[in-house]
Amino acid sequence: MRNAADLVVAYLEQIGVEHVFGIPGGAVEPLYDALARSERRGGLRHILARHESGAAFMADGYARETGRLGVCISTSGPGATNMITGVACAYDNGVPMLVISGQPSLPSFGKGALQESACTGINTVGMFRHCTRYNSLVSHPEQLEQKLVSALMHAYQAPQGPAHLSIPLDVLRSPVAMGRRAYDLEALLMRKADLVDEGAVLRLADELSQAGRVVFLIGAGAGDAIEEVLALAETTDALFVCTPDGKGYVNPRHRRYRGVFGFGGHAAAEELLRSAPDLVLAFGTSLGEWNSAGWCDAVLNSRMVHIDSNDENLMQSPMARMHVRGRLKAVCERLLTVLQAEPPAAVPLRVGQTDPVAFLHAADAFASEASPVKPQRLMKALSERCPPSTRFVADTGNSTTWAVHYLQPNDRRLLRQGLGIRRTAANERRSGTASWLRVTMDFAPMGWAIGAAIGIARARPNGPVVCITGDGSYLMNGQEITVAAEEGLPVVFVVLNDGALGMVRHGQRLAGAESIGYALPGVDFRRMAEAMGIPGHRITSPAELEALDFEAMLARQGPTLLDVCVDPDEVPPMSVRMRALRPAG
Ligand SMILES: Cc1ncc(C[n+]2csc(CCOP(=O)(O)OP(=O)(O)O)c2C)c(N)n1
Ligand SMILES: [Mg+2]
């Protein structure tokens, strides 16, 4: 006879989860016993984080990379409250996650048990309520199976997000009959069928065939449909721009690409949207502050057709000319079929190949050999020197703006083919949404990228990962680098060391506010890494940067730290944020 904890583990094994991230404690001990049994028989592997928010960030990265469920686990009380920031971030970014936290045994509720977190304690269930898609305390062993399946279904169905189960110690320990799993998980967790709103698709096809100039806005939700979206761009002779969190799905050297629209983005993208195209097709985007360029009227107008499987995203665009609900892949396939039934005359591209450098603000800084290193110059080196298979993850702070604006993948094949990220049969299964660059929008916690990079690296053994972060974020969450070391993961952590909470400093300057609360102490992060047994380099000039052997660092079975002393006075492309912060009137 196994216990309820074994049942949870058996379900996770059944849906193909390979790694879970967490930190143990007394209240979840039976779950860890079950994880140990699973690991012994080649099942789940537990990755021990250093802080529960790190565990949630890792689960987030793992889920984004694999398209599977991210799982994070904490004990009751402080373990659960530590995890909340990471869970809230996943909620805001629509990342499917199962969050398990502990509780003391049921009979002790209300008696001041250590770390009691039910309604008679500090009530973690209450705290998770506003950042989860499902949230429940399992108050009887018989509830567990049904609640677990409900949690999984909520996590996976659009709008996707985290589901939280709070499970008391005695419930985890209760014996349950195994092998009785009555639910057909495969069917239950299937994404909403590829239903297409046929009427809307036909109307859109009609609009498209009459439209002169069409522009696409490609968002984060377009990941698993990117090939179809780009095929549609060919068919309709559309140029496209991306949101910051959509950039990683496309090749910035694509001949139809015109830059990023939104936080850290390019003037060319906004100009294109303002050039009065007949239609703007927005694919899979939440149109929040950062990916609507501060609710910019260049996109939020009646030229827009918003296509999304997430109704909450559609609620942000009531002014749109049309809403098309459905899974993007299916909608695009249907549109391609309908449009090709009456193929438009062969469409020679009206504009030529573009060099993405042409979109850059301050292109001189991008090529600057000055010391300290310009952040733009650092992005150039990373773009050129990291192998094409590199996954970049950029942290909240200036790193997001530098990466979104300046980073490009080093992939010449894509230059010729002009396609988005290609998916082979082998990685199609592993990766629903292959993306060369990941950023987090909306909730945007500092340090997200540090954990996410580890989750991504854990999900794709041997695939190189580069985490671009700030000194402030690293001082907040950098201890997770030791997890990458323990796991032997090829992650290069690039710390943009400007001795400041740089985004705050520049934000204050640009707004004409007081200069306060941004200064950080000078820290030698290479020596900090060394103390953890991790190799590092301190970089003070472009020449030192170019002398690094990126291929070797990224082939290493373990992390490397680059402490890059960047020019703190370079102003990041953060005008979108300034636009949103400006007082009304
Ligand atoms: C957890 C958290 N606290 C505060 C903020 C507000 N914030 C946004 S960016 C930033 C500064 C980040 O500094 P650093 O990591 O050094 O990056 P830099 O901008 O200097 O490159 C702060 C404080 C935040 N986003 N998340
Ligand atoms: Mg900084």
Side-chain angles (χ1 to χ4, degrees):
M1 177 81 63
R2 292 284 169 91
N3 63 27
D6 291 300
L7 185 76
V8 173
V9 167
Y11 266 106
L12 295 179
E13 285 177 3
Q14 194 190 331
I15 61 171
V17 173
E18 288 173 334
H19 295 95
V20 300
F21 305 86
I23 299 186
V28 283
E29 193 176 276
L31 186 56
Y32 275 78
D33 290 342
L35 285 169
R37 288 191 282 273
S38 172
E39 195 165 324
R40 267 203 301 280
R41 57 174 188 268
L44 299 179
R45 266 205 66 220
H46 174 260
I47 312 295
L48 178 66
R50 305 292 175 254
H51 185 288
E52 289 82 355
S53 66
F57 295 151
M58 288 174 206
D60 174 332
Y62 178 87
R64 291 187 201 227
E65 185 62 30
T66 59
R68 297 187 200 142
L69 189 73
V71 180
C72 54
I73 303 171
S74 79
T75 192
S76 58
T81 54
N82 269 358
M83 201 155 54
I84 285 177
T85 300
V87 175
C89 180
Y91 179 81
D92 242 7
N93 285 265
V95 179
M97 214 141 95
L98 179 66
V99 182
I100 301 176
S101 69
Q103 287 283 358
S105 290
L106 286 160
S108 72
F109 280 17
K111 291 165 65 179
L114 178 77
Q115 298 172 345
E116 188 192 326
S117 316
C119 58
T120 42
I122 50 84
N123 198 351
T124 50
V125 182
M127 292 185 197
F128 276 106
R129 190 162 127 208
H130 304 287
C131 57
T132 49
R133 294 282 166 196
Y134 180 87
N135 180 37
S136 185
L137 189 147
V138 181
S139 56
H140 193 282
E142 286 292 318
Q143 296 167 8
L144 180 65
E145 199 162 10
Q146 165 117 28
K147 285 190 169 175
L148 179 60
V149 172
S150 296
L152 296 176
M153 289 179 72
H154 276 277
Y156 272 122
Q157 293 296 358
Q160 297 189 331
H164 172 232
L165 289 179
S166 173
I167 316 180
L169 181 62
D170 50 346
V171 171
L172 282 172
R173 265 197 202 125
S174 342
V176 294
M178 295 289 285
R180 184 196 72 150
R181 277 173 279 137
Y183 305 121
D184 179 356
L185 273 188
E186 197 141 326
L188 289 169
L189 299 183
M190 211 161 54
R191 286 207 275 182
K192 273 182 195 147
D194 289 346
L195 292 177
V196 173
D197 181 345
E198 183 71 9
V201 166
L202 292 178
R203 266 189 294 138
L204 177 54
D206 197 39
E207 294 253 11
L208 281 169
S209 54
Q210 288 174 31
R213 276 192 327 114
V214 181
V215 173
F216 287 8
L217 173 66
I218 297 177
D224 66 352
I226 193 64
E227 285 171 16
E228 291 75 14
V229 170
L230 294 182
L232 195 62
E234 293 299 329
T235 303
T236 56
D237 192 22
L239 298 176
F240 68 84
V241 298
C242 298
T243 62
D245 51 354
K247 182 180 179 182
Y249 299 126
V250 306
N251 174 15
R253 295 185 185 88
H254 193 293
R255 61 190 186 135
R256 295 183 181 276
Y257 173 75
R258 290 297 177 275
V260 173
F261 175 71
F263 189 55
H266 306 107
E270 186 168 330
E271 278 160 23
L272 179 65
L273 289 166
R274 287 204 187 280
S275 66
D278 297 295
L279 282 181
V280 174
L281 267 53
F283 292 93
T285 174
S286 68
L287 297 170
E289 177 187 318
W290 279 8
N291 48 34
S292 70
W295 309 284
C296 180
D297 62 2
V299 68
L300 297 179
N301 60 51
S302 62
R303 295 181 213 282
M304 179 178 32
V305 175
H306 194 169
I307 308 169
D308 219 301
S309 58
N310 182 341
D311 280 348
E312 288 186 6
N313 287 353
L314 295 174
M315 289 169 203
Q316 298 297 325
S317 59
M319 72 299 287
R321 173 194 218 89
M322 194 194 297
H323 284 160
V324 182
R325 288 183 176 76
R327 216 177 137 200
L328 295 192
K329 201 177 172 75
V331 170
C332 290
E333 279 169 354
R334 188 73 192 109
L335 276 170
L336 282 167
T337 308
V338 175
L339 288 172
Q340 278 164 4
E342 298 166 49
V347 275
L349 192 65
R350 293 180 201 133
V351 282
Q353 179 85 40
T354 44
D355 176 354
V357 174
F359 303 136
L360 300 184
H361 175 73
D364 50 333
F366 192 59
S368 169
E369 294 307 314
S371 297
V373 181
K374 305 277 185 200
Q376 300 92 327
R377 177 69 178 82
L378 173 60
M379 295 303 123
K380 181 170 189 272
L382 294 175
S383 301
E384 292 171 354
R385 303 290 307 285
C386 296
S389 56
T390 305
R391 298 283 200 258
F392 294 94
V393 196
D395 221 338
T396 301
N398 291 345
S399 295
T400 294
T401 64
W402 299 130
V404 164
H405 198 97
Y406 292 95
L407 207 60
Q408 298 156 28
N410 172 17
D411 196 333
R412 297 281 143 190
R413 288 167 311 150
L414 292 179
L415 173 61
R416 279 201 310 279
Q417 293 173 350
L419 289 172
I421 296 288
R422 282 190 312 164
R423 279 176 271 140
T424 61
N427 71 22
E428 175 95 30
R429 190 183 56 82
R430 286 195 58 80
S431 174
T433 58
S435 177
W436 64 266
L437 170 64
R438 294 191 193 272
V439 292
T440 189
M441 299 280 99
D442 301 336
F443 197 69
M446 290 163 67
W448 164 83
I450 297 169
I454 293 169
I456 290 169
R458 188 59 285 172
R460 56 191 302 259
N462 308 321
V465 178
V466 171
C467 171
I468 302 168
T469 186
D471 50 346
S473 300
Y474 198 78
L475 286 170
M476 201 180 268
N477 290 69
Q479 73 286 352
E480 304 296 345
I481 195 175
T482 58
V483 179
E486 288 283 298
E487 292 292 311
L489 300 175
V491 187
V492 171
F493 291 87
V494 183
V495 180
L496 276 67
N497 193 345
D498 62 351
L501 300 174
M503 176 151 285
V504 171
R505 173 174 179 259
H506 285 285
Q508 289 170 347
R509 285 189 176 183
L510 291 170
E514 299 279 358
S515 278
I516 180 173
Y518 66 79
L520 293 174
V523 176
D524 184 335
F525 292 101
R526 178 186 56 88
R527 290 179 63 192
M528 205 165 141
E530 224 165 55
M532 297 167 169
I534 295 164
H537 305 270
R538 192 166 168 89
I539 305 297
T540 57
S541 69
E544 286 172 8
L545 189 60
E546 291 302 331
L548 293 168
D549 184 345
F550 279 91
E551 290 268 355
M553 282 189 291
L554 287 164
R556 199 181 103 75
Q557 296 301 295
T560 306
L561 182 120
L562 299 184
D563 179 358
V564 187
C565 302
V566 294
D567 185 341
D569 293 322
E570 280 299 312
V571 181
M574 60 183 290
S575 58
V576 161
R577 182 86 184 111
M578 303 319 295
R579 193 187 281 176
L581 286 177
R582 211 173 288 144

